[in-house]
Amino acid sequence: MAEKPANNNEYWAANIRLVTICLVIWALASFGFAILLRPLISGIAVGGTDLGFWFAQQGSILVFLVLIFFYAWRMNSLDKQFGVDEE
């Protein structure tokens, strides 16, 4: 019975670590590349416009969508690893 709380703590630590990594990537893509680093990456052309504008308009949204699917996939594998999956 003492093993279950430790297992729960490990599960939530892995979950929080995953959420933190996803939030850092999202902040870097949406705030970093689209706002702070835009002057540095403005010379790179993507789809007829510069890369900084592309990140501000579309790139950060696409990164967010990829992160949603990555989070769902990774949480399913964590659930199976810790034995709390739906199956």
Side-chain angles (χ1 to χ4, degrees):
M1 192 147 192
E3 189 172 329
K4 189 164 177 79
N7 198 20
N8 286 342
N9 291 338
E10 292 174 14
Y11 174 75
W12 283 107
N15 186 5
I16 296 299
R17 186 172 41 252
L18 179 62
V19 169
T20 303
I21 290 169
C22 288
L23 284 175
V24 167
I25 292 171
W26 183 46
L28 183 64
S30 63
F31 188 70
F33 288 129
I35 297 171
L36 296 177
L37 299 176
R38 187 173 188 270
L40 295 175
I41 61 176
S42 64
I44 303 170
V46 171
T49 187
D50 67 274
L51 186 60
F53 180 77
W54 183 83
F55 262 107
Q57 296 301 313
Q58 296 174 343
S60 59
I61 296 169
L62 293 176
V63 168
F64 182 66
L65 289 174
V66 168
L67 284 174
I68 290 172
F69 287 107
F70 171 75
Y71 177 78
W73 170 76
R74 186 66 183 121
M75 278 308 298
N76 282 335
S77 64
L78 279 176
D79 289 349
K80 289 178 185 174
Q81 178 183 346
F82 287 98
V84 292
D85 55 337
E86 289 90 18
E87 298 173 6

